């Protein structure tokens, strides 16, 4: 089982920026894809951004394109989500997830291991 440690969440004003980190610990697999999902109270856990294990291919939800950037440090398999121009609608608990590269990055069902979640709050 892969342990994923999330960090970087917090509270910011609209227009601000945050960087989330997803760092593996314990037994890890460098060939796993990684994605970020978010969930607001009463909502489903929705796809935000994903990256293939090579770090070359990425995918983004339409709502964050041009504002968020996902990247991977292949030296330690840490994945980052740089969030710029944050909006109140971005407020949610953000979860990172990893899984074998066997499907679409945005398919929630394919991910086998999940982080604990980190709260992002954007005030207007």
């Amino acid at each position: 089982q892969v342990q994923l440690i999330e960090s970087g969440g917090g509270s910011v004003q609209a227009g601000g920026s945050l960087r989330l980190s997803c760092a593996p610990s314990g037994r890890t697999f460098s060939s796993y894809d990684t994605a970020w999902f978010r969930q607001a109270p009463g909502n489903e856990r929705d796809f935000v951004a994903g990256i293939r294990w090579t770090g070359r291919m990425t995918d983004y939800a339409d709502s964050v394109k041009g504002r968020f950037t996902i990247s991977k440090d292949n030296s330690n398999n840490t994945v980052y989500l740089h969030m710029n121009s944050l909006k109140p609608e971005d407020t949610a608990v953000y979860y990172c997830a990893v899984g074998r590269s066997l499907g679409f990055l945005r398919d929630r069902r394919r991910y086998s291991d999940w982080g604990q979640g980190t709260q992002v709050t954007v005030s207007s």
Side-chain angles (χ1 to χ4, degrees):
Q1 183 177 346
V2 178
Q3 301 291 326
L4 302 175
I5 308 301
E6 300 182 27
S7 62
S11 299
V12 298
Q13 293 185 335
S17 300
L18 287 173
R19 187 186 74 167
L20 306 183
S21 299
C22 180
S25 64
R27 186 168 63 154
T28 61
F29 301 91
S30 61
S31 60
Y32 273 31
D33 294 343
T34 306
W36 289 93
F37 293 79
R38 66 187 182 188
Q39 186 170 25
N43 289 36
E44 295 184 350
R45 189 170 297 187
D46 294 325
F47 174 78
V48 177
I51 188 167
R52 295 290 184 191
W53 68 275
T54 62
R56 300 192 187 102
M57 301 292 294
T58 60
D59 191 22
Y60 297 92
D62 289 342
S63 60
V64 306
K65 286 182 179 178
R67 299 189 298 120
F68 291 10
T69 302
I70 188 170
S71 62
K72 182 178 182 179
D73 184 346
N74 285 311
S75 68
N76 58 14
N77 292 318
T78 297
V79 173
Y80 302 96
L81 185 67
H82 293 82
M83 304 184 294
N84 299 315
S85 301
L86 283 162
K87 305 175 181 179
E89 64 187 24
D90 296 318
T91 295
V93 177
Y94 284 69
Y95 300 88
C96 65
V98 298
R100 297 173 65 185
S101 187
L102 299 175
F104 296 113
L105 286 170
R106 60 179 63 209
D107 185 0
R108 182 175 62 238
R109 299 171 297 177
R110 53 157 286 187
Y111 293 98
S112 57
D113 297 283
W114 294 77
Q116 81 281 4
T118 184
Q119 177 71 47
V120 172
T121 302
V122 184
S123 61
S124 60

